[in-house]
Every structure is written in structure tokens, then in C-alpha cells.
Amino acid sequence: MPEQLPGHRPTLEAVAERAGVSRATASRVVNGGDGVRAHLVEKVREAVLELGYVPNPAARTLVTRRTGAVAVIIAEPEIRIFSDPFFSRQIRGISKELTAHDTQLVLLLVEDRGDYDRIERYLAGGHVDGALAFSLHTDDPLPAITRRVGMPTVYGGRPGWTAGSGEHGGIAYVDADNRGGAREAVRHLLDRGRRRIAHIAGPLDQTSAVDRLDGYRDVLLDADPALIAEGDFTATGGAEAMAALLERCPDLDAVFAANDLMATGALRVLRERGLAVPADVALVGFDDAELVAETADPPLTTVRQDIEGMGRLMAQLLLRTLNREQGDRAVPASVVTPTALVRRGSS
Amino acid sequence: MPEQLPGHRPTLEAVAERAGVSRATASRVVNGGDGVRAHLVEKVREAVLELGYVPNPAARTLVTRRTGAVAVIIAEPEIRIFSDPFFSRQIRGISKELTAHDTQLVLLLVEDRGDYDRIERYLAGGHVDGALAFSLHTDDPLPAITRRVGMPTVYGGRPGWTAGSGEHGGIAYVDADNRGGAREAVRHLLDRGRRRIAHIAGPLDQTSAVDRLDGYRDVLLDADPALIAEGDFTATGGAEAMAALLERCPDLDAVFAANDLMATGALRVLRERGLAVPADVALVGFDDAELVAETADPPLTTVRQDIEGMGRLMAQLLLRTLNREQGDRAVPASVVTPTALVRRGSS
């Protein structure tokens, strides 16, 4: 049974007395439980309002075994989280959804591998009800951790980790149609008459990068391998990949970069080399990240994904999992959201 | 007493037996408590190593009443936290220090006032041992909350809140010498021969903005009030303030902006009006925020504060407070770190 805080706050006993019900019944109503008849629920709610009763949340946790908090874990160093608007936008979506359900967002930073021991302890310590994890790499220890501590988790991005690769079946995730979006980007460049289309891939230990590369290859079945360079989803990495591509293939006439930040890095290198965009080299990005694609000069043609919406979906999926009663129908395990080409000046 | 996880992990009982001590003694050693004789401590440690004993952290929490986690609360909407490099830099400093002490950083976002009820519940729920709070506004509810739930808290920035204004005495905080830094910036502009020096202030419900304005006034005792415009620490706010200043005082020949982001907004407006920086108008910022001051065109003269170091200091101060035993000497309540003018092309 919940303990009330000492002092002048109205107690649950006072609520029960005013409503003319038992303390157990009052507790069940206050803590959102079922199995109380409607007219008694009504009486307890009236008493709560009249007395200005505020439930003790620590006590509520004891009854519901819920903390009302959800961890968000981004498997990237802090410097990337703060420099790539993708992350802030996804966090915004998650934050809106959790706030709408009065759930506290708890952001855990992962600077390096050593941090995972501490994160496992925190997750095992019962401080959150579930976790949202994104930007995982194939060798990420996080899936094994959440399994070990039995933490309900929804992932951002298609699972591709190698540890326990046979166990992706029941995993809930939200992803964009990366492969379809990449196909559309490359087809658009073909439509613009480009024939030597290069690809700056993301880090290929992430499924989003793999899927976008696959989409590129779906359209350009016999693509010259020299036209593909691997970046790391940062502007600096995009610049380095662009320089390597120009070295290898000075005749390239288009670039599809696997995200907008890498496209801005590529844009800088093209400008430094005196190549005009789009006249000499057409350029397409991916994300339609705010303050990046639209503000580039020229503005970037890009593949838009609904980043904020994906964050909301992740949070919804997790909350539905947490609120699911035994015997309820299964929660959909994954959602793939559509992408759309946004045409701007760079192509 | 700690409970051990079921299964094949070695138990605390096994450690105690191997070491030839009582379970209570073994528990005290494992959980870092005092009052165990040195040779017994040694025996228990040997047994831990031999058996490969791993303490159950939830159980350790029960014994030490510590969670090993610290909340970081930034009293700004997520969009500002992710767009102003000041915040990521301060978080980086905090993160490094907490990681060095095996303490989990838990970032709580505050989107609007309604979120504070939930944050109070989370802090009251015993999920963190202490809190670091920064970028507070004078009417912030956070100080009252941390007092109410008895949460040890260190603030970033001099306290200036109006609620309980007589109670700032015992509050631990870390701040930069905002007033001294501002004085140096303005004196530098005077040295460059400027005579109509404007100030773009930060939001005056924050002490950092108030202190920088006071520093400006310390040097320009009879400053024309028309030369002062209030911004909001964002680039957009800086641009709006610059436009207002040029409207009122078209003869201004220098601007001291209370942070680098506002200086970049001012720079954009000056360029749009055809005014050369520094030839027509000299410009000085504040922060020396990475990827802002140095990359501006021209690079910004600015007042550097050791943002990352301030984050580390906040974390150190909190950890020392948490680890303090009854009767220990008092922990220093506040630290003010020096600032330094960095001269670049804009002045």
C-alpha cells in the first residue's frame, strides 16, 4: 500500500473516507487500476478534487511498479548527437509523444564502449520502464544488454547487429524506407541526364547506410565500384569521400550522398575545385534535415524522411508495449515509413 | 542486506565464506563502506577476484542508498540546447567528469513549464543522487523543486531567481567572470578607437546577461540607452537586435554582443546593409563557442570562457557534496572562473 508523505497534504485515507470507500479501492482508482465500479470511481475522483489530493509518485511506483520514465539511448558520441540535426529532430518527436503521456524522457549519452557497463547497471536498477535506442552499429552491445536486463526496447532503424543475428524476429523498430528513397534519388539523377553517378555511402556498419547503398545499386546494376566511397555521416567525412571520388573518377557528373551533412561536405569540395553544382555535378542528399538541406547554397535536392514522426512512432510503440495487458493482441513489431524526393537547386 | 541474483553467479555468501568473514563484513567491503579492518578488507577483495563476484547494482543501491546517476537539467527548450554549442560543450565537460567517477549522466529535457511537475516526480522518485542545473531564468521553478525534494544540486550560473531570493546563500554554483569579461571586451573596442559602442544584451531574466550588461556599463558609464538592445542568445534574436540598433543609431561604430550566436546574427544584418566588419562596425562576441566564433567570416573577436571546464567543475562540486561524510569540512559553495579576450578579424 502506498505511504503518504508526512505533513499537511491530504492523505489517501482522507480521500477514501470522503468517498465512502475502502483505502484499497481509493488506491486502485488513484493509481489507474481497473476493476472498480464506475460510480465508485466517480466518488473517489470527486473526493480527490475536493481535497486537492496529490498522489505520492514514489508510492505510486510501488503499486504500479512503473517509474513513468523512458530512457533514450543514442549509440553515438555526444559530438555527433549535437552536430547532426537528425538526432535533435528525432528526440523532439520522442519528447512530444512522451510528454503527451506524462512520461519523463531520460537521455543517456554513450561516449565509448566502456560506458555500456554503467548503462547496463542503470537500466538494471529499475529507474526506467523502457528504452528507445537508435543509430546502432552492427557490433553494438546494447541489444544484448536490453535483453539481459529484460528492458522493453524499441529501436530506431532496422536491426542489423551481428551479435545474435538470428534473433531479430521479435524486435520492435521504426525505420524509413531507406532503400526505396535511395532508388528514387538515383532515378532522379538519371532523369536529369546524368550517367556517371557516384555514391557517398554512410558507415556500412549501420543498416541505414547499407540500405541506401543497396538502393543505389538496385538502379545502377553495373555501377563502377570506383564511384562508391564510404563516409561517416559527418560533413568532414563527406568532404573526404568527395575528394577521393574526384581523384578516382574526375569524369563523374552526379553524386548521391547518403545524408545531407555529407552532401554539404561534398558541396564544399566541389566548390573548392571550381566545379559548379548542378551544372558540372548534380548533388542529392538524404534526410531533409532542418537548417542543412534548405540553407545550403545551392539548396539541396534530398530524400525527405519524417524524422520527427519516426521519433513519435518509436515512443508510441514503446508506450503501447508497456501498457499492454497480458492476453492483449500483439503490438506491431515494426513500422517502415515512406520517404519522398524533395527537388531543389542542387540537381 | 543485498539479495543476489539467482543463477550461477557467485553469491556474496560465497565471497564471505571464502574470505572467512561474516556476510555483513563482506557486504560492507563490496559496497565501499568503512569500518572494516585492513586485513579483512584484503581477504574479501581476494575472494571477490578469485570467485569473479559481480555485485548486484540494485542491491548495492539498497545498501548505499545511491543510484550512481546524476541528472542534468537545462532550463531551455530542446531546440536551443541543440543549436547553441555552449550547451553541448558544457555537457561534454560534465560527461567526462561523471564518467571518470563511473556515474551515469541522465539528461532531462524541459520543453515548457508543464514539464516541471513530471521532473519533480522523477527527482522525488529516487532515480538520481543529485542534479546539475543550468541556464536558469529568474522565475524558474527548479530551485524550489530541488529544495522541496531535498536533491543536492549545483547550478551553472550565478543564482538570480526571484522565488526565495533571500536564500541564495548556501547555493553551490559555477560561473564565469561575465562582468569582467564584458569590461575587457568594451575596453578593447575603445582601444580600437571606437566611440559609439552598442550592446546586444542577452535575455535579462538570466544573470549571465545581466552581468555582461553591467560590465558594459562599468566601462561606458554614460552609455546612450539607445545603444542597448535586448536579444535572446540566438542568432535570430541577434539579427533583430542589430536591425533595431541600426534603426535607432545609424552612427554606431562597434557592437559588443553578449554571446557568439547573437554576434553571427548581427554580422549577417551588417553585411546585408553593406556595412563592412570591422572597417565600418567592429564586432565582439562572448563564449568562444566552437564552430561559431572561429568559423564566422570574418572570425569573431570574443570573450572566451572555459565552458567545458565549467561543466567539469559543476560535476566535481556535486560529487564532492555527495561523497562528503557528516562532519567533513564544507565543500566550497561556488567557483567563478576567469575569462579572456580572444582577438580575431571582426575587431
Side-chain angles (χ1 to χ4, degrees), chain A residues 144-161:
Chain A
I145 290 173
T146 58
R147 217 168 30 234
R148 208 148 53 217
V149 305
M151 178 68 56
T153 305
V154 174
Y155 291 90
R158 179 175 72 76
W161 43 84

Side-chain angles (χ1 to χ4, degrees), chain A residues 9 57-58 60-61 67-69 78-79 81-82 87-89 91-92 95 98-99 102-109 111 115 118-122 124-128 290, chain B residues 57-58 60-61 67-69 78-79 81-82 87-89 91-92 95 98-99 102-109 111 115 118-122 124-128 148 290:
Chain A
R9 287 193 188 188
R60 183 157 58 184
T61 298
T67 64
E78 158 270 327
I79 198 156
I81 296 173
F82 281 91
F87 297 112
S88 57
R89 191 107 167 237
I91 290 171
R92 193 176 317 154
S95 176
L98 293 181
T99 297
D102 202 24
T103 298
Q104 182 62 45
L105 188 164
V106 165
L107 185 60
L108 305 181
L109 300 177
E111 209 56 39
D115 295 343
R118 208 175 52 243
I119 284 180
E120 176 162 6
R121 286 208 305 276
Y122 191 76
H127 303 301
V128 292
E290 62 192 339
Chain B
R60 186 160 56 185
T61 299
T67 64
E78 158 271 327
I79 198 156
I81 295 172
F82 282 90
F87 297 112
S88 58
R89 192 109 167 235
I91 290 172
R92 192 176 318 155
S95 176
L98 293 181
T99 297
D102 203 25
T103 299
Q104 181 62 46
L105 187 163
V106 164
L107 185 60
L108 306 181
L109 300 176
E111 209 55 41
D115 295 342
R118 209 177 50 244
I119 284 180
E120 177 162 5
R121 286 207 305 275
Y122 190 75
H127 304 300
V128 291
R148 211 152 46 219
E290 62 191 339

Side-chain angles (χ1 to χ4, degrees), chain B residues 186-269:
Chain B
V186 178
R187 280 197 207 104
H188 163 74
L189 289 167
L190 284 174
D191 288 347
R192 310 298 291 174
R194 306 300 162 133
R195 290 299 170 262
R196 289 285 285 165
I197 302 171
H199 180 49
I200 302 179
L204 294 171
D205 66 342
Q206 296 196 300
T207 55
S208 56
V210 171
D211 292 351
R212 291 170 201 175
L213 172 58
D214 284 347
Y216 166 87
R217 285 184 169 140
D218 287 345
V219 180
L220 302 173
L221 289 169
D222 53 354
D224 180 353
L227 281 169
I228 299 168
E230 186 176 345
D232 61 359
F233 281 148
T234 72
T236 308
E240 287 165 6
M242 188 72 248
L245 287 168
L246 286 170
E247 182 79 21
R248 292 202 295 260
C249 310
D251 61 333
L252 60 83
D253 59 9
V255 177
F256 164 50
N259 79 344
D260 290 339
L261 277 187
M262 293 198 298
T264 62
L267 196 56
R268 178 157 50 85
V269 170

